[in-house]
């Protein structure tokens, strides 16, 4: 897989579906100041739909990279200037924490993500990117282009994200919390206290 030689692309890594905002990204890819790389599994019917509807910009503004190995994902992240995660407001996503958000942050990539409360709390506290209305393509493109046009600020946001992952959002820290919860639960059960989990 060939990736741009400089940190000069916009990427989304994960399942490629309509409810993950892929159609919007593809439709407006010509408004982005860089190429858009989409990496991950995609149903053939959806792939054909995207190419049929937006074929004039396919392999020019937006590229389907398929399912990548762990090493290829890491290479993609090295070449990525902005990581996008503008999932639609569905019950499955609104209260979730997408792994790709933390992968972008760990890789020092500034993010543009859906403005969901849990995501907003993380992004604002870390100072690692922007939250946007996932139904507003103008805002999505404007925030992506802002990061591309302001590389020093984008670099700082990327560094902020990595620092947040190293200091807060990692398994070593989460493991301690989880073990504490289990121990507290065990002690309460031993004391005969009914716990609602």
């Amino acid at each position: 897989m060939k990736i741009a030689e400089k940190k000069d692309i916009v990427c989304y890594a994960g399942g490629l579906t309509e409810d993950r905002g892929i159609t919007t990204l593809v439709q407006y890819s010509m408004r982005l100041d860089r190429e858009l790389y989409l990496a991950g599994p995609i149903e053939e019917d959806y792939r054909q739909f995207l190419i049929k509807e937006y074929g004039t910009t396919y392999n020019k503004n937006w590229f389907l990279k398929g399912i990548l190995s762990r090493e290829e994902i890491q290479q993609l992240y090295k070449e990525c200037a902005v990581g996008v995660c503008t999932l639609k407001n569905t019950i499955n996503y609104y209260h979730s924490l997408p792994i790709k958000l933390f992968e972008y942050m760990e890789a020092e990539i500034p993010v543009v993500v859906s403005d969901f409360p849990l995501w907003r709390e993380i992004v604002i506290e870390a100072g690692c990117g922007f939250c946007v209305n996932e139904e507003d393509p103008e805002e999505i493109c404007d925030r992506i282009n802002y990061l591309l046009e302001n590389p020093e600020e984008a670099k700082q946001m990327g560094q902020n994200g990595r620092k947040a992952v190293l200091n807060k959002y990692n398994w070593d820290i989460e493991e301690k919390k989880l073990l504490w919860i289990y121990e507290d639960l065990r002690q309460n059960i031993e004391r005969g206290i009914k716990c609602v989990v």
Side-chain angles (χ1 to χ4, degrees):
M1 178 187 75
K2 183 162 180 349
I3 300 290
E5 292 181 2
K6 296 191 287 187
K7 199 165 188 168
D8 215 20
I9 60 173
V10 177
C11 83
Y12 170 91
L16 304 176
T17 61
E18 164 62 32
D19 61 347
R20 292 178 189 229
I22 301 305
T23 304
T24 300
L25 292 175
V26 166
Q27 183 179 2
Y28 290 89
S29 61
M30 74 288 293
R31 289 206 52 228
L32 301 178
D33 292 340
R34 302 291 189 282
E35 295 173 347
L36 171 67
Y37 282 44
L38 304 169
I42 184 169
E43 293 288 336
E44 181 58 25
D45 288 350
Y46 185 53
R47 189 182 79 80
Q48 291 294 340
F49 163 77
L50 291 176
I51 292 172
K52 179 181 177 185
E53 293 295 318
Y54 309 107
T56 57
T57 54
Y58 180 50
N59 284 335
K60 184 165 70 171
N61 298 102
W62 62 279
F63 300 79
L64 293 172
K65 306 315 287 183
I67 299 173
L68 305 182
S69 68
R70 199 70 230 149
E71 294 75 22
E72 289 172 320
I73 283 287
Q74 293 306 318
Q75 179 61 29
L76 176 69
Y77 288 166
K78 285 179 185 175
E79 308 306 336
C80 183
V82 180
V84 183
C85 185
T86 49
L87 279 56
K88 300 292 185 182
N89 184 351
T90 70
I91 193 166
N92 288 340
Y93 302 141
Y94 190 76
H95 297 290
S96 69
L97 288 175
I99 292 172
K100 70 182 64 55
L101 170 59
F102 300 104
E103 287 185 346
Y104 294 155
M105 290 167 67
E106 182 182 27
E108 293 190 19
I109 302 169
V111 300
V112 173
V113 302
S114 303
D115 190 12
F116 301 158
L118 286 173
W119 303 16
R120 184 187 321 122
E121 182 180 336
I122 292 166
V123 170
I124 289 177
E125 181 181 304
C128 63
F130 295 114
C131 297
V132 295
N133 178 349
E134 72 285 351
E135 298 293 344
D136 185 346
E138 298 285 331
E139 184 181 11
I140 294 169
C141 292
D142 286 348
R143 287 305 191 181
I144 292 171
N145 287 335
Y146 178 88
L147 291 170
L148 295 170
E149 293 162 7
N150 295 276
E152 289 305 313
E153 188 174 345
K155 181 180 179 182
Q156 184 61 60
M157 287 182 175
Q159 291 171 348
N160 293 346
R162 180 164 174 79
K163 183 191 284 186
V165 168
L166 294 177
N167 294 330
K168 185 172 183 180
Y169 302 110
N170 64 73
W171 175 242
D172 288 339
I173 291 171
E174 294 303 309
E175 177 186 32
K176 290 172 186 169
K177 293 180 190 174
L178 187 60
L179 292 174
W180 181 87
I181 290 169
Y182 285 151
E183 179 59 22
D184 187 55
L185 180 62
R186 184 190 65 76
Q187 289 177 9
N188 285 330
I189 291 172
E190 285 179 359
R191 290 187 198 115
I193 298 173
K194 292 184 179 178
C195 300
V196 178
V197 179

